[in-house]
């Protein structure tokens, strides 16, 4: 035994601290940008956003109440195997947990949301989009719709979430199931999702036809038009 073992707790703590600060730097691209040590926090918050701790609710004035035994998610359009999933079918698919930040176009961001649900990638394996499919539209129980490219939908962090922080996703936040597209402003994350259509042409959704940007990248401040 070496003398170092005399104070393992302290040494362990320092080591952990160093590792976690390096991990933080790596996550924020510290070593890529070479910015000052105060920069990492700033880099996690996209331009023009402010951090909130609560979770605001935004909707069109309707929060549909969908009972689980009536809930259905259909996926169709340019796919080899269209499906209609009931609640138990959905839970039988591979389940994934993921943590992501929310960036709303109305300038609030919320860090570290822990979701559980089904990865878009696992839905793609199920329905098998045809080669002509290039765009995806989400249609919701409240009449909302939003569009993304198939490439963006197929990103590894896109989830159809039924849980948040270990509890069922609350109705006001889009339960039973909402889309979570972490790399885009939150209006792309359709709540109360009902149908996913695969298309060969783009089909701008509710906000996209009302002056919002078609893509909505928070890092480019793609807010409007
Ligand atoms: N079905 C549906 N999805 C929706 C909306 C909506 O009105 N209806 N609003 C969008 C907008 S503009 C935002 S910012 C987020 C808000 O999600 P939250 O209420 O859980 O914060 O949902 C998005 N998805
Ligand atoms: Mo929004």
């Amino acid at each position: 035994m070496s003398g170092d073992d005399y104070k393992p707790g302290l040494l362990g703590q320092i080591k952990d601290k160093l590792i976690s600060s390096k991990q933080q730097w790596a996550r924020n691209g510290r070593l890529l940008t070479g910015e000052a040590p105060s920069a990492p926090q700033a880099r996690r918050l996209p331009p023009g956003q402010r951090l909130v701790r609560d979770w605001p609710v935004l909707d069109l004035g309707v929060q549909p109440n969908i009972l689980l035994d009536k809930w259905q998610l259909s996926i169709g359009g340019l796919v080899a195997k269209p499906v209609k999933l009931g609640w138990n079918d959905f839970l039988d698919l591979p389940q994934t947990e993921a943590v992501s930040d929310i960036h709303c176009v109305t300038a609030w961001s919320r860090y570290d949301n822990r979701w559980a649900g089904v990865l878009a990638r696992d839905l793609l394996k199920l329905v098998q989009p045809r080669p002509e499919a290039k765009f995806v539209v989400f249609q919701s129980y409240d009449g909302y719709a939003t569009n993304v490219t198939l490439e963006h939908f197929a990103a590894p962090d896109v989830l159809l979430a039924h849980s948040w922080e270990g509890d069922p996703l609350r109705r006001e936040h889009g339960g039973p199931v909402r889309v979570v597209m972490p790399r885009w402003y939150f209006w792309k994350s359709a709540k109360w999702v009902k149908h996913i259509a695969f298309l060969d042409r783009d089909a701008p959704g509710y906000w996209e036809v009302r002056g919002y940007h078609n893509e909505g990248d928070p890092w480019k401040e793609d807010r409007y038009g």
Side-chain angles (χ1 to χ4, degrees):
M1 287 269 173
S2 78
D4 283 358
D5 290 321
Y6 189 63
K7 293 186 274 183
L10 182 60
L11 291 174
Q13 275 174 34
I14 293 170
K15 205 176 158 199
D16 284 349
K17 241 180 148 175
L18 285 172
I19 291 170
S20 76
S21 76
K22 281 187 177 155
Q23 281 177 334
Q24 191 63 32
W25 284 2
R27 272 200 293 275
N28 292 298
R30 164 70 170 80
L31 300 177
L32 299 177
T33 65
E35 289 192 30
S38 61
Q41 191 62 16
R43 292 194 65 80
R44 187 170 175 183
L45 195 62
Q49 297 293 108
R50 75 194 142 74
L51 192 58
V52 299
R53 309 253 164 223
D54 59 341
W55 186 6
V57 173
L58 288 98
D59 55 50
L60 303 175
V62 199
Q63 296 178 347
N65 186 13
I66 309 120
L67 302 177
L68 293 184
D69 59 347
K70 297 269 158 54
W71 179 84
Q72 193 181 63
L73 172 65
S74 55
I75 311 180
L78 299 170
V79 296
K81 301 190 171 165
V83 290
K84 284 186 177 151
L85 303 169
W87 184 246
N88 291 328
D89 307 323
F90 191 69
L91 295 186
D92 282 344
L93 294 171
Q95 300 291 310
T96 302
E97 273 205 4
V99 176
S100 62
D101 296 346
I102 295 171
H103 306 298
C104 175
V105 72
T106 59
W108 57 270
S109 292
R110 193 181 188 288
Y111 289 165
D112 292 326
N113 298 274
R114 187 164 54 91
W115 311 99
V118 176
L119 284 173
R121 291 213 156 165
D122 287 321
L123 290 178
L124 290 170
K125 280 184 204 154
L126 190 69
V127 301
Q128 302 170 23
R130 298 187 186 283
E132 317 88 84
K134 297 281 185 275
F135 300 92
V136 176
V137 173
F138 308 122
Q139 286 159 0
S140 297
Y141 283 91
D142 62 342
Y144 186 80
T146 188
N147 57 309
V148 298
T149 64
L150 175 53
E151 191 190 340
H152 294 168
F153 182 65
D157 55 0
V158 175
L159 196 69
L160 271 78
H162 55 62
S163 298
W164 178 82
E165 302 299 335
D167 290 320
L169 182 64
R170 291 203 306 271
R171 176 177 163 191
E172 67 263 35
H173 287 299
V177 174
R178 78 176 299 158
V179 179
V180 178
M181 300 266 308
R183 298 187 202 182
W184 309 94
Y185 282 127
F186 210 32
W187 87 76
K188 293 293 185 184
S189 293
K191 312 205 285 191
W192 310 293
V193 65
K194 177 184 171 189
H195 182 69
I196 303 179
F198 289 78
L199 310 169
D200 56 5
R201 35 145 197 112
D202 203 0
Y206 185 89
W207 287 119
E208 290 82 5
V209 302
R210 289 172 175 79
Y212 280 27
H213 195 278
N214 199 50
E215 292 203 336
D217 181 345
W219 295 97
K220 294 186 191 155
E221 277 210 87
D222 286 345
R223 294 177 196 273
Y224 308 108

